Amino acid sequence: MAQLIDGKKIAQEIKDELKERMTRLKAAGESRRLAVIQVGSDPASTVYVNNKKKACEYIGIDSLSYEQPEETTQEELLELIGELNARRDVNGILVQLPVPGHIDEEKILLAIDPGKDVDGFHPVNVGNLSIGRPGYVSCTPAGVIQLLKRSGITIEGKECVVLGRSNIVGKPMAMLLLQENGTVTVCHSRTKNLKEIARRADILVAAIGRPKFIDESFVKEGAVVIDVGIHRNADNKLCGDVDFERVAPHCSAITPVPGGVGPMTIAMLMSNCVNGVLS
């Protein structure tokens, strides 16, 4: 029977550790403040933003909420980011994505001070990750590394296959696995012999963006399978990129959806807020 990697439990452990650290920081006269900007009222974004606020409150991080109307212009948003960049009492800035279509997402991300980019999306932080320098790391891939380590799964020397090459998950995931001395292959929509490559993996990370795309034919017996995907099926139930029921019997360990990678993203955002840039 596969080990079920419990992301809820591990995320709670991390938040409890961060809460203790914040208590010590406050006793020493320090504080942490996260500014969260949401443009428009996308329901999924509102849920994410509320979850981030709750996590800040639990840990002891001050949070500033900027809920901007849908018609906010790009110039107005850039002006707000500039003001927050200049505030010494703000440690982190997060713009909830997606932004409305009339706003250039890349320009917005570039405008955030890399030293306050707790999402880890700024090119400076991505570049630092690629060459092993200190910087903020994208929260979902950082969460996957914590899931593996805290579940007793060794990365060093393992063959790791990442399915997906997005800037937010696939690419930083590959770089983090490399930093942990894994041997990494990145696959994508143009990869030939995808199943054959996936079946080589000791650790398979699915971030391909297609519900239940990964079945048992992609998985080597005894592999560790990490499912980053999140979708709603025809019955409006959450599912991942992995067909859990078919794949789980062939794994040594697997993450569920929900309750696997998802909770780790906010936990690692909180870690970035509390701990700052770590080497």
Side-chain angles (χ1 to χ4, degrees):
M1 183 65 184
Q3 172 190 353
L4 194 67
I5 299 175
D6 189 342
K8 279 187 180 178
K9 178 174 176 287
I10 294 171
Q12 188 61 49
E13 288 172 2
I14 291 170
K15 287 190 284 188
D16 287 342
E17 291 165 10
L18 294 171
K19 185 176 183 178
E20 288 180 17
R21 177 159 164 73
M22 273 309 308
T23 300
R24 294 194 300 271
L25 287 170
K26 285 182 176 179
E30 293 188 45
S31 64
R32 298 288 187 269
R33 182 169 284 118
L34 172 66
V36 180
I37 303 170
Q38 180 183 356
V39 183
S41 54
D42 175 77
S45 291
T46 299
V47 170
Y48 290 137
V49 166
N50 287 337
N51 286 340
K52 288 165 187 173
K53 288 179 189 172
K54 287 177 187 173
C56 284
E57 185 178 358
Y58 180 78
I59 290 163
I61 299 168
D62 297 331
S63 66
L64 302 173
S65 182
Y66 296 88
E67 292 163 4
Q68 308 297 104
E70 184 87 19
E71 60 271 17
T72 299
T73 66
Q74 181 168 293
E75 290 68 28
E76 288 169 335
L77 183 53
L78 289 169
E79 184 179 347
L80 174 57
I81 291 168
E83 291 170 3
L84 293 169
N85 282 340
R87 283 183 58 169
R88 296 184 67 181
D89 65 330
V90 172
N91 307 93
I93 301 170
L94 182 155
V95 177
Q96 182 64 42
L97 302 178
V99 290
H102 64 277
I103 295 174
D104 185 330
E105 184 177 293
E106 185 178 1
K107 283 187 178 177
I108 298 308
L109 295 180
L110 282 169
I112 298 171
D113 180 345
K116 298 187 179 187
D117 167 43
V118 287
D119 262 335
F121 295 164
H122 195 286
V124 167
N125 284 319
V126 175
N128 284 335
L129 173 61
S130 71
I131 60 174
R133 287 174 56 88
Y136 286 115
V137 176
S138 185
C139 301
T140 299
V144 170
I145 295 296
Q146 286 298 311
L147 282 179
L148 292 169
K149 288 184 172 182
R150 289 172 183 250
S151 299
I153 295 163
T154 302
I155 302 169
E156 183 170 348
K158 298 290 180 64
E159 183 137 8
C160 308
V161 175
V162 179
L163 304 179
R165 56 176 170 180
S166 72
N167 292 334
I168 291 173
V169 178
K171 291 175 185 175
M173 188 76 257
M175 287 187 278
L176 287 172
L177 289 166
L178 277 172
Q179 284 186 3
E180 298 293 333
N181 299 314
T183 300
V184 182
T185 302
V186 179
C187 297
H188 46 79
S189 59
R190 301 290 191 273
T191 299
K192 295 178 180 178
N193 304 318
L194 181 62
K195 286 186 181 182
E196 288 80 356
I197 295 169
R199 279 201 300 267
R200 297 202 311 249
D202 301 307
I203 298 172
L204 180 65
V205 181
I208 210 160
R210 296 175 65 179
K212 295 193 174 184
F213 181 76
I214 306 302
D215 62 21
E216 69 275 20
S217 66
F218 286 81
V219 179
K220 178 171 75 173
E221 288 293 327
V224 174
V225 176
I226 305 292
D227 191 351
V228 179
I230 187 158
H231 317 274
R232 288 201 178 272
N233 64 18
D235 300 321
N236 203 36
K237 291 184 178 178
L238 290 174
C239 66
D241 289 354
V242 175
D243 189 330
F244 184 90
E245 288 74 19
R246 293 175 65 177
V247 170
H250 302 276
C251 301
S252 60
I254 188 169
T255 58
V257 176
V261 174
M264 296 298 294
T265 300
I266 289 180
M268 298 316 294
L269 172 67
M270 296 298 105
S271 178
N272 280 349
C273 292
V274 173
N275 294 321
V277 174
L278 298 177
S279 58

